[in-house]
Amino acid sequence: MEKYSLVLEGGGAKGAYQVGAIKALKKKGIEFDTIIGTSIGAINAAFIAQGDINKLEELWQTLSFQDLMDINNELIESITNMKFSSDILNEIARKFFNAFKEKGIDTSSIRSLLEKYIDEEKLRNSNIRFGLVTYCLSNMKPQKLFIEDIPQGKVVDYLLATSNLPVFKRQIIDNKSFLDGGAYDNCSVEMLYEAGYKNIIAIKLFKRRKRIRNYYKLSKKQDLNLKIIVPSEELPFILNFETKTLNKILKYGYIDTIKQIDKLDGYKYAIYNIDEERLKNIKELFTPSFSLNFVKLCKTSYKIGDNIIDVALNRALNKLCRAVCGVNTKSFKKQIVSIIEYIAEQGNVSKNKIYTFDDLIIRAQKIVSKREKKAKGIESAVYYLIKNIKEDE
C-alpha cells in the first residue's frame, strides 16, 4: 500500500483531535513514511515518529494545564467559563505581573514533560522521518527542519521553539531567539512538497482558517495528492487543557476522521449513509393536512389556491432551517438531517460515535417528547416535524 506523508497543524489543546484522527487513519490501513508539524502538531508528530502513539494518547487523556505551566487548573477553568471572583482576579493579576517581570510565562514544566517522554535516539533511528517548523526572531527567518537538520541533543529545544507562543519566555538556542512556528506556517504542506513528497495528508485543527502557506499555489500543483482532514466544527479554545474536554476532543478526532474517510452522512454528527428511500418516506409525511399545520407553525404566508405541500417543502422548511439551524439550503436531505441534528445537539447526544439515521431520529424523538411543552415560536415546528416521523418499515 502506498504510504503518505503527514503534516499536523498547530493549535494548543486542540491537538488532542490529531491523536484520535491518526488512530482512525491507522485503522483504515493508512501508513506514513514522514510526519512533520508546527507547535503542538510537532510535539504530536515526535511521539508518533518515535512509535509512541499509545503513550501520546495516555498523556492527552490525563493532561491538565497544571502539568504544562505553574498555573492552577481551577484558575484556568474560571477563565474559560468567564467566572471571576475577587480572589481569581487577584491571582490572574499576580500571574500577569510575574510573566511581565520574567519576560513571558515560564516553560520549564513543558520542558520537563518533553524530556520525560521524547526519546531522541528513537526519533533519529525511526523509519518515519520527523520534521518541524519554527521561526527565528534573531534573523527573522523561518526554519523548516527535518530530524537530520536538528543538532544532536537539541530535539527538545527545537520542540520548545516550534511551540513558543508569544506569551511564553523566548526559547533561546545557540544565542538565537525563537517563536512559535505558526507565525510562519501553521500547517506546512509546503515544507513536505518542497522536500519531494507528493502524497500528503494534513490534519487541521481549525475549521474556518486555512492557514496553509501558499495554499492557492499548492492546490494547482498537478503532481500533489493532498488530502485534508478538517474538524467538522470548531474545537474548544487553544488553552482549554481541561482533562474532560481533551478526552472529548480526542474521541471526536477519531469519529470525525472515520466520517471523512468513509464519506459518511451528517454535518455535526457521523451518520451511516442515508438511504434515499428513507428520505422519500419522510417526504411522504407532508400530506395536505400535515403541511398546513407545518406552514402555520413556521409562520409562512400562503394564498388561497397555493399548493400547500409545495409551500411546506419549498418555503416553510427552508425558513425553519435558516431560523433554527442557521442552514440555508434547498436540499431536502440537508434540511431534515440538520433539524434532527439540531435536536440531538440540544439534548447533548454524544458526537463521539457513529449513528444510523433511524437511531438518531429515535434519540431526537425522545428529546422532543420530554420538551415539547416548552417549545416556543417557530421551534414548535421542529418538534411537530420530528415527532411525526414514522419508524422505517
Side-chain angles (χ1 to χ4, degrees):
M1 180 178 288
E2 197 168 26
K3 290 188 177 182
Y4 280 84
S5 300
L6 190 63
V7 55
L8 305 182
E9 183 174 41
K14 299 174 189 280
Y17 178 92
Q18 291 171 340
V19 183
I22 289 162
K23 286 177 71 71
L25 291 173
K26 284 185 169 292
K27 182 175 181 179
K28 290 297 177 181
I30 298 172
E31 298 293 335
F32 322 112
D33 54 15
T34 306
I35 179 167
I36 69 166
T38 301
S39 197
I40 195 64
I43 293 172
N44 283 341
F47 274 86
I48 296 157
Q50 70 183 31
D52 286 331
I53 188 168
N54 290 334
K55 193 179 290 184
L56 178 63
E57 183 177 13
E58 289 172 14
L59 183 60
W60 275 107
Q61 287 171 336
T62 58
L63 196 64
S64 71
F65 209 92
Q66 202 157 339
D67 296 323
L68 301 173
M69 279 162 264
D70 184 24
I71 299 178
N72 188 285
N73 287 328
E74 285 72 27
L75 175 63
I76 294 300
E77 188 174 343
S78 298
I79 294 172
T80 302
N81 297 324
M82 301 297 286
K83 294 180 180 177
F84 302 111
S85 65
S86 59
D87 288 342
I88 292 294
L89 289 171
N90 287 335
E91 180 67 9
I92 292 171
R94 188 178 70 81
K95 291 293 183 185
F96 271 105
F97 177 76
N98 288 342
F100 178 78
K101 187 172 67 174
E102 297 296 325
K103 297 183 179 179
I105 297 172
D106 181 61
T107 58
S108 56
S109 295
I110 303 174
R111 175 179 284 278
S112 296
L113 263 178
L114 294 176
E115 288 177 343
K116 179 180 178 181
Y117 290 106
I118 297 300
D119 187 327
E120 185 168 331
E121 186 177 353
K122 282 173 67 176
L123 200 54
R124 292 186 181 279
N125 294 326
S126 173
N127 291 327
I128 300 175
R129 190 185 186 196
F130 166 72
L132 58 80
V133 177
T134 185
Y135 190 83
C136 182
L137 287 171
S138 298
N139 58 20
M140 302 299 285
K141 290 182 180 179
Q143 297 219 335
K144 298 183 276 189
L145 308 170
F146 285 104
I147 185 65
E148 63 270 21
D149 304 317
I150 300 174
Q152 193 74 35
K154 300 282 188 179
V155 166
V156 168
D157 291 329
Y158 276 94
L159 285 173
L160 287 167
T162 185
S163 53
N164 195 258
L165 294 170
V167 295
F168 293 164
K169 288 179 71 171
R170 290 282 70 78
Q171 175 64 30
I172 307 297
I173 305 174
D174 298 329
N175 296 319
K176 291 181 180 178
S177 176
F178 288 84
L179 182 65
D180 190 292
Y184 176 74
D185 192 351
N186 204 41
C187 188
S188 195
V189 173
E190 186 177 57
M191 175 179 169
L192 286 174
Y193 184 78
E194 288 175 344
Y197 296 99
K198 301 300 190 295
N199 291 319
I200 300 172
I201 296 176
I203 303 181
K204 301 276 294 162
L205 295 177
F206 296 89
K207 180 183 178 182
R208 293 182 177 87
R209 290 190 288 172
K210 262 289 183 283
R211 296 194 72 187
I212 295 176
R213 191 175 185 84
N214 292 324
Y215 175 76
Y216 182 72
K217 287 183 180 178
L218 288 167
S219 66
K220 292 183 173 297
K221 301 290 185 182
Q222 297 296 315
D223 60 344
L224 175 61
N225 175 25
L226 174 62
K227 301 181 187 300
I228 304 177
I229 303 295
V230 184
S232 297
E233 59 183 49
E234 287 295 344
L235 301 174
F237 182 52
I238 63 170
L239 293 181
N240 189 349
F241 284 93
E242 196 262 330
T243 307
K244 188 176 179 181
T245 301
L246 294 178
N247 275 273
K248 284 184 179 178
I249 296 172
L250 196 155
K251 291 175 183 174
Y252 181 63
Y254 178 83
I255 293 295
D256 199 38
T257 302
I258 293 289
K259 174 184 172 182
Q260 292 178 59
I261 294 170
D262 290 346
K263 296 186 167 96
L264 299 180
D265 283 320
Y267 307 101
K268 295 187 174 182
Y269 287 81
I271 307 171
Y272 288 111
N273 295 327
I274 300 168
D275 184 74
E276 289 299 322
E277 193 65 30
R278 181 67 176 115
L279 288 169
K280 182 181 175 183
N281 291 341
I282 293 174
K283 186 175 279 191
E284 289 173 355
L285 174 66
F286 285 79
T287 60
S289 59
F290 177 90
S291 296
L292 182 60
N293 289 333
F294 183 73
V295 166
K296 288 178 178 178
L297 288 171
C298 290
K299 303 186 186 307
T300 303
S301 60
Y302 65 96
K303 296 179 291 190
I304 294 174
D306 283 347
N307 184 319
I308 199 65
I309 295 176
D310 285 345
V311 174
L313 287 171
N314 298 324
R315 287 165 48 201
L317 194 55
N318 183 260
K319 179 181 179 181
L320 180 64
C321 284
R322 288 199 316 271
V324 176
C325 310
V327 173
N328 186 10
T329 178
K330 293 182 180 180
S331 164
F332 181 74
K333 177 179 179 178
K334 188 164 186 177
Q335 290 168 339
I336 294 298
V337 173
S338 296
I339 288 169
I340 291 166
E341 288 185 331
Y342 166 75
I343 291 296
E345 206 168 30
Q346 294 291 303
N348 295 316
V349 174
S350 173
K351 293 177 182 175
N352 291 329
K353 64 173 288 188
I354 302 174
Y355 298 91
T356 65
F357 188 38
D358 279 283
D359 186 21
L360 203 60
I361 290 172
I362 290 167
R363 288 169 187 263
Q365 287 176 329
K366 287 179 180 178
I367 294 164
V368 164
S369 67
K370 292 177 182 178
R371 298 186 175 191
E372 189 173 4
K373 291 180 181 178
K374 298 179 182 178
K376 294 180 181 179
I378 198 169
E379 192 172 60
S380 59
V382 174
Y383 285 45
Y384 178 68
L385 173 61
I386 288 179
K387 77 174 185 178
N388 280 285
I389 296 175
K390 296 179 176 60
E391 288 187 29
D392 192 20
E393 296 178 356

